[in-house]
Amino acid sequence: MRHDPMHPTTLDLFADADLEQQPRREQIGEQSYVLRGFALPWFDRLLPALHAVLAAAPFRQMMTPGGFTMSVALSSCGTLGWTTDRSGYRYTRHDPQTGRPWPAMPEVFFELAQAAAREAGFSDFVPDSCLINRYVAGAKMSLHQDKDEGSYAAPIVSVSLGLPAMFLFGGFERSDKSQRIPLLHGDIVVWGGVDRLRYHGVLPIKDGVHPRLGEQRINFTFRTAG
Ligand code: MD3
Ligand code: FE
């Protein structure tokens, strides 16, 4: 009776919950981690803050220096916002579309980014930029390095929300083999130190409907840009 699987004791239930729990922190590189579900408890506070940012700085598609329109739509908050146009990639203090300063980074964004960085071994992360990427079905980001920041000393924190994505985590040359890492709603990835200049990208998003965010994936990329 005590070991009837249909009648687990309270202690058995705790034991099972423990066994079935996914490892919360996956190491994917020497100084790179995926924090599974880390943003989930923050989501209800992130959403209204996101809407306020987007009311001031709506999503827009930008052009690469090479003349291609990015499939991902962008916005930013924080002191510095990443932009691209025919003259190049850079960080600006003003939204080129409105001429106004980028919206301030909501406190809840900053706190989440700092908590995630700490969990990955980077204490005292002070992001001054949050790029907000919006992917609809088919949108992708080709392999690239993040090289537009003033220093590579700080880590980068990436928060995935909405539809799932297959993230490509490459090496230090474009031709190096990439790991494929599925990222789900609420997952956070943190990179820094020796992994800061690794190539990375996102495969085309598959269509679908997320119960909280609909037909899109939204990614926050926190950086110390200045
Ligand atoms: C790996 N965005 O906007 S950050 C980007 O899902 C960008 O939208 C990704 O790459 C996205 O530039 C999420 C992923 C990232 C950022 C920096 C890295 C991965 C990195 C630095 C080193 C290695
Ligand atoms: Fe990037």
Side-chain angles (χ1 to χ4, degrees):
M1 183 58 179
R2 245 180 68 66
H3 293 112
D4 180 347
M6 298 304 288
H7 297 279
T9 63
T10 304
L11 277 172
D12 289 336
L13 285 172
F14 278 114
D16 284 359
D18 254 4
L19 279 173
E20 284 163 23
Q21 197 161 40
Q22 296 287 116
R24 299 199 151 289
R25 192 172 88 160
E26 294 170 20
Q27 188 164 8
I28 58 169
E30 212 178 308
Q31 291 184 274
S32 310
Y33 296 89
V34 181
L35 310 175
R36 295 290 177 195
F38 193 90
L40 291 177
W42 300 68
F43 183 74
D44 288 347
R45 289 198 287 148
L46 293 173
L47 201 55
L50 171 63
H51 285 137
V53 167
L54 294 175
F59 282 126
R60 82 293 305 267
Q61 284 177 279
M62 290 183 184
M63 195 170 275
T64 66
F68 296 98
T69 300
M70 293 181 70
S71 59
V72 177
L74 315 178
S75 181
S76 274
C77 60
T79 318
L80 292 168
W82 186 85
T83 62
T84 174
D85 60 21
R86 288 310 300 259
S87 64
Y89 304 125
R90 63 196 171 280
Y91 285 92
T92 62
R93 295 185 167 272
H94 294 84
D95 177 347
Q97 191 163 284
T98 63
R100 295 190 301 258
W102 290 106
M105 190 183 299
E107 246 173 82
V108 61
F109 280 35
F110 184 90
E111 283 168 18
L112 172 59
Q114 201 161 64
R118 179 171 293 279
E119 197 73 10
F122 301 97
S123 52
D124 310 315
F125 178 44
V126 181
D128 57 14
S129 175
C130 175
L131 175 65
I132 306 168
N133 290 327
R134 176 182 193 251
Y135 296 75
V136 294
K140 65 179 170 65
M141 198 169 288
S142 308
L143 272 185
H144 66 279
Q145 295 169 293
D146 288 13
K147 291 203 299 189
D148 304 317
E149 298 70 34
S151 153
Y152 305 141
I156 293 179
V157 170
S158 154
V159 179
S160 290
L161 300 172
L163 290 179
M166 191 60 82
F167 183 71
L168 298 174
F169 186 53
F172 298 96
E173 301 199 56
R174 190 184 297 279
S175 58
D176 290 347
K177 193 174 156 57
S178 295
Q179 298 179 58
R180 289 176 172 216
I181 299 164
L183 294 179
L184 304 179
H185 177 72
D187 290 347
I188 298 191
V189 194
V190 183
W191 296 266
V194 298
D195 291 323
R196 176 63 180 75
L197 286 175
R198 286 173 76 140
Y199 276 87
H200 56 278
V202 178
L203 290 181
I205 299 294
K206 295 189 173 154
D207 53 354
V209 184
H210 187 271
R212 301 298 302 274
L213 279 179
E215 300 183 339
Q216 59 183 340
R217 169 178 190 255
I218 291 180
N219 181 270
F220 301 156
T221 306
F222 292 94
R223 306 184 179 96
T224 305

